Amino acid sequence: MNSKGKLFFYCGKMGAGKSTLSTQHAQAENAVLISEDTWLATHYPDCIQTFEDYLTFSSRIKPFIKHHVMNILATGTNVVMDFPANTVKQRLWFKALCQQANCSHKLYYIERTNEQCLAQLAKRRQQYPERAHFDNEQVFHQVTAYFEAPQNDEGFEITII
């Protein structure tokens, strides 16, 4: 019987570098990378225009993602999830996944100031102009209003970067 894979996931404000770090970790850990942005763009092209749209469609894919990730972890393969763990509620979803999969995990908290994140979003808009309608200061502040840094009492193995 194979041992379980390890789950890696990320917490950080919009523009903190979660996607960049997840790509690097997937390569370093020889892990399967699963990106929420990719799944959403593939399954719901041109449907996400607002933060509320994101919340709606993100919640729709989670049952499928959870099942998929659990199957991968069961093979002994590590999984890197480029999905936000930016609120207690989002982290509870990851916690339930880890408990059901009976796997180890690591939560990376990418600690950045608002100014650092906004500067990164400005660079991203230049690199990916198609994201400019979502990756802007107004949406950043809307999303950041919900941000909750992880706490030790949540029961995760946390590494702060």
Side-chain angles (χ1 to χ4, degrees), residues 83-144:
F83 278 63
N86 294 340
T87 66
V88 171
K89 183 178 178 182
Q90 288 172 327
R91 289 190 294 275
L92 285 173
W93 182 79
F94 280 103
K95 188 173 208 167
L97 192 159
C98 291
Q99 288 173 339
Q100 283 187 290
N102 193 28
C103 70
S104 61
H105 68 274
K106 180 167 280 210
L107 168 60
Y108 287 95
Y109 173 32
I110 307 169
E111 197 171 31
R112 301 287 184 268
T113 65
N114 288 356
E115 293 75 23
Q116 289 172 310
C117 294
L118 287 167
Q120 182 57 36
L121 287 175
K123 289 179 189 175
R124 193 158 67 188
R125 281 192 306 274
Q126 289 182 346
Q127 189 175 8
Y128 304 102
E130 67 277 7
R131 293 184 59 152
H133 74 281
F134 197 78
D135 288 348
N136 59 58
E137 190 168 347
Q138 179 184 357
V139 174
F140 171 82
H141 289 296
Q142 181 183 14
V143 171
T144 300

Side-chain angles (χ1 to χ4, degrees), residues 25-72:
H25 283 160
Q27 292 172 347
E29 297 293 336
N30 192 32
V32 173
L33 174 63
I34 300 178
S35 165
E36 181 181 50
D37 288 346
T38 301
W39 275 68
L40 289 172
T42 302
H43 292 283
Y44 304 106
D46 304 319
C47 292
I48 300 175
Q49 301 301 317
T50 67
F51 183 56
E52 290 74 20
D53 292 341
Y54 161 75
L55 293 173
T56 297
F57 291 108
S58 175
S59 68
R60 286 185 187 173
I61 65 169
K62 284 193 172 171
F64 305 107
I65 294 292
K66 183 177 179 182
H67 181 73
H68 184 60
V69 169
M70 288 177 61
N71 284 337
I72 295 170

